[in-house]
Amino acid sequence: MDVAIVGCGLIGHKRAKLLGAHRLTAAVDADPDKAQGLAALHPGATALTDWRAAVARADVDAVLVSTPHHLLAPVATAAAEEGKHVLVEKPGARSAAELAPLAAAAQRKQVVVKVGFNHRFHPAFRKAREYVDGGAVGELMFVRARYGHGGRVGYDKEWRADPRIAGGGELLDQGMHLIDLSRWFLGDFTRVEGFTHTYFWDMPVEDNSFMALRTAAQQMAWLHVSWTEWKNTFSFELYGKTGKLHVEGLGGSYGTERLSYYRMSPQMGPPETVIHEFPGPDQSWALEFADFARSVETGGAGCGGVEDALKALDVVDAIYRANTP
């Protein structure tokens, strides 16, 4: 594929490094220095500041959108309308209503649209999916999960703290990952309850969110995301009737990625335990892009598409509505 990347910050550079045999033809950013900086790393790529011109180019097959939240949906929708395949970073939009036109354009133009739910591609979660699909933990009952970091000096002055740009705080940020992962295992949520609050950071968006999500079958997801987690933490526990799966760490500052499988015996008591560790660099971004490219090539459905993002944003929207005075 010939690829345009819109948004040449940290994530745009990360995506560009993982293109493999695919070609970067356009690096786009409102800051010309950033656009030129990324283009210079890829011979033949053109640096542009106008994303509208970029998505309309005939030499672009796919567009990767790595902008702040307020531009994700407009850029991705325009690209889909031009018949381009799209990989847009999560959350995909600031609300479900803002994302809906992208879903409609993808269906109308018959293009692949993937949302950046890279956590589905962490090896611990791929292995957990194998255990669940193979019946190793039995019928699923509930999820209990925590995800958080402590920010950094000046975090409250960054674009993520501006509700006009970000659309929300930690719920829309790391909360989207936990909601998506919980849906991936349990299915759609029919009852949504949640609480958002700003405890520490001087910002008009929440730095913590607590969620209680329930399916029609009464399966529960009990989730907490936080920008006041002073030791970066990721913990996702999945409980079945005959076993438990626990994913911890995501590598780097979150600690070694690990999956623990606890198999209950008919006699109950201490479970049989199997530990899988996945040291080394994070491969989830590369695996996610490979899944996107494969979907484009075969026309098949990718793992974590625009419909998944719409479902997750429905949950986010419901919690924000419930917490609006």
Side-chain angles (χ1 to χ4, degrees):
M1 292 184 294
D2 291 324
V3 175
I5 292 181
V6 181
C8 299
L10 175 65
I11 303 303
H13 275 263
K14 180 177 288 191
R15 291 293 186 190
K17 288 179 180 178
L18 301 173
L19 291 179
H22 307 282
R23 296 167 298 280
L24 181 68
T25 59
V28 192
D29 200 286
D31 183 336
D33 290 337
K34 288 185 177 180
Q36 185 58 51
L38 182 56
L41 299 174
H42 297 266
T46 301
L48 300 170
T49 56
D50 183 358
W51 64 261
R52 293 174 180 83
V55 303
R57 286 173 59 128
D59 61 349
V60 169
D61 303 311
V63 178
L64 312 189
V65 189
S66 304
T67 66
H69 294 172
H70 69 305
L71 289 175
L72 292 174
V75 175
T77 303
E81 292 285 5
E82 291 285 349
K84 315 299 186 185
H85 304 290
V86 178
L87 196 166
V88 56
E89 302 302 335
K90 66 87 191 161
R94 293 171 296 182
S95 67
E98 193 173 69
L99 189 63
L102 174 57
Q107 185 173 30
R108 186 170 60 255
K109 295 292 184 174
Q110 291 298 290
V111 293
V112 173
V113 176
K114 176 154 186 9
V115 178
F117 290 127
N118 69 295
H119 286 40
R120 292 187 181 206
F121 295 88
H122 274 275
F125 276 107
R126 306 305 283 183
K127 188 65 178 177
R129 186 80 253 182
E130 288 180 17
Y131 273 122
V132 171
D133 292 346
V137 296
E139 182 182 349
L140 298 180
M141 299 185 296
F142 59 90
V143 164
R144 182 171 61 200
R146 296 174 294 125
Y147 195 7
H149 63 77
R152 50 189 165 263
V153 174
Y155 201 62
D156 51 344
K157 303 298 188 295
E158 298 179 12
W159 67 262
R160 290 184 184 279
D162 185 340
R164 295 169 301 174
I165 297 176
E170 172 66 325
L171 173 59
L172 198 56
D173 185 21
Q174 292 182 314
M176 280 287 288
H177 280 305
L178 288 192
I179 294 166
D180 177 65
L181 289 169
S182 298
R183 273 197 67 251
W184 194 35
F185 287 103
L186 300 182
D188 290 340
F189 296 111
T190 57
R191 182 164 181 175
V192 173
E193 298 175 85
F195 172 65
T196 64
H197 192 68
T198 308
Y199 287 100
F200 177 83
W201 292 101
D202 182 16
M203 55 173 65
V205 297
E206 77 284 351
D207 58 23
N208 276 264
S209 181
F210 307 83
M211 292 166 269
L213 315 178
R214 198 185 315 173
T215 71
Q218 306 305 312
Q219 298 158 302
M220 189 79 176
W222 185 252
L223 314 176
H224 175 211
V225 289
S226 175
W227 281 340
T228 61
E229 189 69 61
W230 306 129
K231 168 60 183 75
N232 290 5
T233 295
F234 183 87
S235 172
F236 190 96
E237 298 172 283
L238 185 64
Y239 290 80
K241 291 189 174 181
T242 61
K244 169 188 170 180
L245 296 166
H246 187 191
V247 177
E248 300 172 89
L250 295 172
S253 61
Y254 288 89
T256 299
E257 186 172 335
R258 177 184 297 110
L259 171 66
S260 302
Y261 167 48
Y262 302 98
R263 178 180 177 274
M264 296 306 299
S265 69
Q267 297 77 29
M268 305 298 281
E272 173 189 329
T273 303
V274 179
I275 307 294
H276 303 271
E277 288 200 343
F278 304 93
D282 180 2
Q283 297 296 317
S284 66
W285 298 81
L287 293 172
E288 180 179 46
F289 183 77
D291 180 76
F292 170 67
R294 186 166 48 250
S295 296
V296 170
E297 181 179 359
T298 65
C303 182
V306 66
E307 294 297 332
D308 294 298
L310 278 171
K311 294 286 189 179
L313 282 170
D314 281 339
V315 172
V316 169
D317 291 348
I319 294 172
Y320 280 147
R321 284 195 302 268
N323 283 267
T324 300

